[in-house]
Amino acid sequence: MLFEDLSLSKSIQKAVFELGYLEPTPIQQQAIPLVLEGRDLIGCAQTGTGKTAAFAIPIIHQLHRIVGSSKKAKVIRCLVVTPTRELAVQIGQNFDQYGKYTNLTQLTIFGGVSQVPQVDTLKKGVDILIATPGRLLDLHKQGFIDLDHLHALVLDEADQMLDMGFVNDVKKIVKLTPNNRQTLLFSATMPIAIRELAEMFLKNPATVSVSPVSSTAENVEQKVYFVEKTEKRNLLYHLIKNDNLSDVLVFSRTKHGADNVVKALRKNGIAAEAIHGDKSQNARQRVLDAFKNKEVGVLVATDIAARGIDIDQLPFVINFDLPNIPETYVNRIGRTGRAGNGGIAISFCSKDEHPYWKDIQKLIKVDVETVSNHPYPWHSGSPETAPAAAANNSNRSGGAHKSRKSNTSKQNKKRWY
């Protein structure tokens, strides 16, 4: 199937062609015709699957037919609700790209910055509004947002909005919209809470799903290091330094932990930054831009903050802390190996995290390589015996690259933080 087979308007086809899009991705093939039919939709798709285009392109097509070249006052006909500024900005950029040859206008609003420019644009009128929940409700309460003319409501990254405590805000927002709207809900995972939310707001929805949450990209090479908890920062530095790693996304379970890892790396001359919920929106954007521009070699992020990171060529993902939800592991390592590129996903597993690793293995059903020849393995004689996977792979060696051997001398094992 080609984009030209989707019966899209010539203006959209032109914009899509200029972007180099020829064949729609699986999620786009499934979702676009359903959205064009006016169906409510539940989409289960992870980052990197082309999800945004799957809803943006058909919505632009529909609104372009309605608005055309009309000179009438513009009203909000599409609302996209997304949890973070970074995601909102990316979605807004995509709407601009796909709709560049239409008369449609869009505005992206979020908190953490002055509302004055946003209000000024709202007063002029826009067709499409992309918003984070807090700023949306705030400006609506002030009387600057009218959703009475809404045609389409998109709830993007629904699972993340629940994780961030936005569920009540989402419910309030939905109540502000007309009952005859078209509703599209997209989520990387489909826990019970998301299904309940869908049943509450969607009418006879179609469901599309690609890249099931249990699957990991075939072009991502996965490795696990069984390491003492107190030695994780040593091992991280060892890998980055010995294998000259750059463009590395490191996942930390907590904001405090992310900051500590960054401090330790900086102390040893490695350019690193953290991105998490305690950072201001402007600070997060600056850090993200610096990482994309390769001014910073290591980005340490929490799961929530990382959802806004969209980088096609990201070679390394390191799970400094294992997630306690197996599906989160799949989402994390899905940040690498995108757009046909290869990638390496490295996980550090301490003794207390071993149950998490067992759950991850049950989900992904992949024989992940255990790297046992490194300077900071689990101490022998510990209360918990080493996992069978480690024993079975005890003869394997290598760091982030298989051919490199690790020196386990006392000098290499010296603490660096």
Side-chain angles (χ1 to χ4, degrees):
M1 175 184 285
L2 301 175
F3 268 101
E4 61 188 31
D5 299 324
L6 292 171
S7 302
L8 298 168
S9 70
K10 296 296 183 182
S11 59
I12 297 175
Q13 287 190 43
K14 182 179 179 182
V16 167
F17 179 77
E18 287 183 357
L19 291 169
Y21 296 4
L22 296 177
E23 298 181 7
T25 65
I27 188 69
Q28 293 162 5
Q29 288 185 33
Q30 296 180 57
I32 289 176
L34 292 167
V35 178
L36 290 175
E37 290 175 11
R39 294 284 303 275
D40 281 9
L41 181 73
I42 299 172
C44 183
Q46 300 166 22
T47 301
T49 58
K51 167 174 56 72
T52 302
F55 65 77
I57 288 175
I59 286 175
I60 292 171
H61 173 87
Q62 291 174 318
L63 296 187
H64 182 51
R65 291 177 60 187
I66 296 170
V67 176
S69 58
S70 172
K71 300 298 182 182
K72 296 179 182 179
K74 289 185 172 292
V75 294
I76 299 170
R77 301 179 189 274
C78 170
L79 171 64
V80 181
V81 183
T82 194
T84 68
R85 165 186 172 159
E86 294 84 4
L87 286 167
V89 169
Q90 288 170 20
I91 293 169
Q93 291 171 345
N94 287 333
F95 268 96
D96 280 340
Q97 291 173 329
Y98 307 144
K100 66 183 294 187
Y101 296 114
T102 70
N103 191 40
L104 300 174
T105 59
Q106 71 88 9
L107 171 66
T108 302
I109 64 173
F110 41 78
V113 296
S114 171
Q115 72 174 38
V116 175
Q118 298 174 4
V119 169
D120 289 344
T121 305
L122 284 168
K123 288 179 178 178
K124 296 175 184 176
V126 295
D127 301 295
I128 300 161
L129 182 65
I130 298 105
T132 52
R135 178 54 60 95
L136 174 63
L137 289 173
D138 187 23
L139 293 185
H140 181 273
K141 186 177 181 180
Q142 296 179 52
F144 296 121
I145 292 177
D146 178 7
L147 300 175
D148 290 344
H149 304 278
L150 199 71
H151 287 257
L153 170 65
V154 181
L155 302 176
D156 191 34
E157 299 286 358
D159 54 348
Q160 185 184 359
M161 285 199 278
L162 263 63
D163 288 343
M164 295 176 69
F166 287 141
V167 62
N168 289 329
D169 285 347
V170 170
K171 291 178 180 178
K172 291 177 184 177
I173 291 166
V174 174
K175 289 180 180 179
L176 300 175
T177 64
N179 289 329
N180 62 346
R181 69 184 183 274
Q182 180 182 19
T183 308
L184 314 176
L185 183 150
F186 286 87
S187 184
T189 60
M190 282 292 162
I192 293 175
I194 296 297
R195 298 190 193 111
E196 291 175 346
L197 197 68
E199 290 176 4
M200 199 179 304
F201 300 137
L202 279 68
K203 299 173 184 176
N204 188 30
T207 300
V208 298
S209 178
V210 297
S211 297
V213 293
S214 62
S215 67
T216 54
E218 293 181 359
N219 53 339
V220 176
E221 183 180 354
Q222 300 176 62
K223 301 171 182 283
V224 61
Y225 289 71
F226 294 101
V227 55
E228 287 293 329
K229 189 171 186 176
T230 56
E231 304 284 14
K232 281 188 175 184
R233 283 180 286 180
N234 284 325
L235 179 58
L236 179 63
Y237 175 75
H238 171 82
L239 294 180
I240 292 172
K241 200 69 175 177
N242 279 21
D243 291 302
N244 195 29
L245 305 188
S246 61
D247 303 320
V248 184
L249 176 58
V250 178
F251 281 97
S252 170
R253 190 179 300 122
T254 67
K255 294 173 280 191
H256 180 68
D259 287 335
N260 284 341
V261 170
V262 167
K263 289 177 184 177
L265 290 173
R266 285 180 178 174
K267 185 178 179 181
N268 286 269
I270 293 176
E273 292 282 358
I275 182 170
H276 53 64
D278 283 353
K279 302 275 187 181
S280 70
Q281 294 283 15
N282 286 332
R284 287 160 68 178
Q285 192 62 44
R286 284 196 300 271
V287 167
L288 190 55
D289 289 343
F291 185 61
K292 288 182 176 180
N293 294 332
K294 302 187 183 302
E295 297 166 10
V296 171
V298 180
L299 181 63
V300 186
T302 55
D303 289 300
I304 289 176
R307 287 282 183 96
I309 300 171
D310 185 17
I311 302 171
D312 285 339
Q313 297 186 20
L314 182 65
F316 299 102
V317 166
I318 296 180
N319 292 303
F320 186 87
D321 297 315
L322 285 181
N324 59 352
I325 300 173
E327 289 83 0
T328 301
Y329 172 86
V330 180
N331 292 332
R332 285 182 178 184
I333 73 170
R335 299 285 167 180
T336 188
R338 294 171 59 178
N341 298 297
I344 296 177
I346 297 169
S347 296
F348 295 171
C349 180
S350 57
K351 295 188 187 74
D352 61 317
E353 292 174 315
H354 191 221
Y356 299 160
W357 182 245
K358 285 183 177 179
D359 290 340
I360 289 168
Q361 288 185 303
K362 287 178 184 176
L363 179 72
I364 64 175
K365 296 179 174 61
V366 172
D367 183 18
V368 177
E369 176 187 348
T370 297
V371 181
S372 55
N373 186 13
H374 65 86
Y376 310 103
W378 285 3
H379 295 156
S380 59
S382 61
E384 182 177 355
T385 58
N392 292 338
N393 294 281
S394 59
N395 293 323
R396 295 186 183 181
S397 65
H401 302 289
K402 293 181 181 178
S403 62
R404 187 180 299 275
K405 292 186 178 181
S406 302
N407 188 330
T408 57
S409 67
K410 291 182 180 179
Q411 182 178 0
N412 258 4
K413 297 184 73 169
K414 180 180 178 182
R415 294 186 182 273
W416 57 275
Y417 59 85

